[in-house]
Amino acid sequence: MDDLLSKEITYLKGVGPKRAELLNKELEIHTYEDLLYHFPFRYEDRSKIHKIREISSASINYQIKAEVVKIEPKGYARKKWLNVLVRDETGSVELKWFKNISWFSQQLSLGGTYIFFGRPTFSKYGLSISHPEIIQEKDQQETRSNFNPVYYTTDKLRNARLDSKGISKLIQTLLAEVAGNFKEALPKWLISEYNLQSINQALRDIHFPEGEQEMKKAEVRLKFEELLYVQLYLMKIKRLRLSKHKGILLPKTQIVHDFYKKVLPFDLTNAQKRVIKEIFSDLNYGNQMNRLLQGDVGSGKTLVAFVSMLIAISNGYQTCIMAPTEVLAEQHFQGLAKFARALNIQIEILTGSTTKKKRTEIHQQLVDGEIDIMVGTHALIEEIVQFKNLGLAVIDEQHRFGVAQRAKLWNKTSDNFFPHVLVMTATPIPRTLAMTLYGDLDVSVIDEMPKGRKEIKTALWDESKRLRLFGFISEQIKIGRQAYIIYPLVEESEKLDYKNVMEGYESIQRAFPKIPIGIIHGKMKPQDKDYEMNQFKNKKTKILVATTVIEVGIDVPNATTIVIEDAEKFGLSQLHQLRGRVGRGEHQSYCILMSKSEISKNARQRLMTMVKTNDGFVIAEKDLELRGPGDIGGTQQSGILDFKIANISKDEKILKAARKASIKIIQEDPKLETKDNKNLKEKLKKMYSAKAQWARVS
Ligand code: ADP
Ligand code: MG
């Protein structure tokens, strides 16, 4: 039967070479199976005829039966349209056609009654429906099913008479040809335990359900299956990693105790202590650690990373920490160097701007084992950088690094072992997404802020409050604090970007003529950025005007105000990151979002979310909801989120069930060798052979 599914689409009755080529090109439909998995994106319920008075929502298609009372061509020259007024006993509605006007006007006659089907628009001119479908009363019987599929299609396909209806017909033909013969991949017990439809029924009902209930059941079955494969796949990777790569044991902790006793200036939070314990137990379990450390901005992840590094160093191993930008790497270096010196630990930094001489020196010292902590940027993953015995690699802000880059860290030591890996992210990933993306990683969460932190107060202002804004900043500076003013990055144009921030800088200078102001933007050399950053850190400048280059990790506790200009242009997680630049010390901090007064609904929702909450996880969930999963934290590169039907921002319940089921399957039959799991294994193999590339990574 599988042969049948992989049959080329050209052989299906009603297709032929020309349409096949179009289907290939336009929808990537090559085989029977591809067509079958081209699911409807919505359904239309034609079972009900609404009264005009009942039309109330702009998001539903309505079917009405009404009499034509006026047919009126409108407009002039190129801007013509057809206006048709129709009525039933409850009211009237205007129908509009902007294309094929003469053809549509011929379909209708004054005084005739027709069935119209379409989506309403509510405007100040009243209720109307644009381009409704016209169903002649005599044809009404033709639509037998009450729940009709609507398929995505394209103009080119439409020209080949493959509109939604045409595609529907092809699928009908296909189902008739192969009906009831699909191989069931899910084991019997699973189907009955989770009360799932059989694959045969699901594939029929997803296209041609009797009603909503059948459609929903088919949807659940297909989503479940899709999510199950991902979970099984991730667990397989994890198992492979655990069995292949024996982890180095790191039982000694002498330096950690010294650090606690003599150096650490504050108490760890309970969350930090818990996570350190989790990491320590990973490091002594016998397997290679691959742990994702999540924690909101300012929750103290770096410190946890440092303690983890001290464990490795106590056992005679080297460590490294990789950051996405030079500014950040530098900051880690300065922060950690203080501690390291007190503990007599060798620490060095390697970035793009390290001099050639110094670089060569560092390369040698690494191989000789003279450096304990190597801080750096991408420069760390260059081929030439080799360690004597790298025991732990920490990756900060991991979403900034491509998957392939992370993989390179694995081959950094001469011996045949892989270092333990700790990845940290301050962009909290919603649980559903984490389960899918990092199903093979262990996850630790720091869910507590260091004591004494005050909630950042956030406000949404528009241009009318500009003077008040300047007054506010002045006051903060008067009492000794500092402020950031952030301009958006216009990605398409670096020039515009630069112009934007330079104009901002000048206007801020005009507003605060007596106050020293710094500036940082993407076009500056790393040294100049560092210089400006240090000027600000050392309170030489009081206001720092910047683009999003300061987004991640920058730590200046005395800066208490962040103003974000054109805030509506930023994504939610980015806004949250930026806001995390303040609220890092004991002083009350403020985030002021400046935006136009008229912004899109989506933008307003983003900004109001910021005003309402400081909780990174709530924000991440909202972000996922508003944006959809494809774009979260640069995850689009992973390929793992290309679902046909599942939607991880909406299908959390099904995802959890699928995860639970996959855990059970793998526990009972790790290699999927039993008869029960035979089809499952085959299917998995087929599905993921193409994705083997990223399988190796963390
Ligand atoms: P993250 O990387 O999670 O955003 P950092 O590690 O940069 O946060 O920590 C933010 C600030 O909080 C730093 O100045 C750090 O020294 C401080 N910090 C970390 N842990 C604690 C703690 N337990 N108590 C007080 N301050 C802490
Ligand atoms: Mg950090």
Side-chain angles (χ1 to χ4, degrees), residues 187-243:
K188 277 205 189 72
W189 67 265
L190 192 75
I191 290 185
S192 76
E193 191 169 318
Y194 288 88
N195 191 21
L196 300 171
Q197 275 184 338
S198 71
I199 188 67
N200 279 294
Q201 191 173 359
L203 285 175
R204 194 177 58 236
D205 284 1
I206 197 70
H207 293 288
F208 306 109
E210 298 250 310
E212 190 171 359
Q213 224 181 340
E214 286 76 10
M215 181 273 285
K216 284 262 155 69
K217 268 206 99 172
E219 216 177 66
V220 168
R221 144 83 208 208
L222 294 166
K223 287 178 172 180
F224 183 95
E225 186 170 354
E226 201 168 31
L227 293 166
L228 182 78
Y229 292 142
V230 176
Q231 290 301 322
L232 283 172
Y233 179 68
L234 290 169
M235 282 175 204
K236 203 181 109 196
I237 301 176
K238 182 170 178 178
R239 224 181 52 86
L240 236 144
R241 171 165 59 77
L242 293 183
S243 63

Side-chain angles (χ1 to χ4, degrees), residues 301-302 332 396-397 553:
K301 293 183 294 294
T302 314
H332 278 321
D396 196 12
E397 307 299 349

Side-chain angles (χ1 to χ4, degrees), residues 264-270 272 293-305 328 331-332 338-339 396-397 424-426 446 448-453 552-557 577 580-581 583-585:
L264 184 65
F266 38 68
D267 290 331
L268 294 174
T269 63
N270 287 327
Q272 284 172 320
L293 175 54
Q294 286 200 44
D296 214 339
V297 266
S299 60
K301 293 183 294 294
T302 314
L303 202 71
V304 169
L328 256 188
Q331 181 179 290
H332 278 321
K338 261 186 284 169
F339 295 151
D396 196 12
E397 307 299 349
M424 309 199 289
T425 173
I446 304 185
E448 182 188 357
M449 286 291 178
K451 272 202 208 75
R453 294 278 169 82
V552 254
I554 297 297
D555 193 21
V556 182
Q577 278 291 324
R581 297 313 105 222
R584 302 178 82 82

Side-chain angles (χ1 to χ4, degrees), residues 363-381:
H363 289 166
Q364 193 54 47
Q365 287 174 325
L366 278 176
V367 176
D368 294 342
E370 284 166 19
I371 295 170
D372 301 309
I373 300 179
M374 187 70 247
V375 182
T377 54
H378 296 74
L380 288 188
I381 51 178

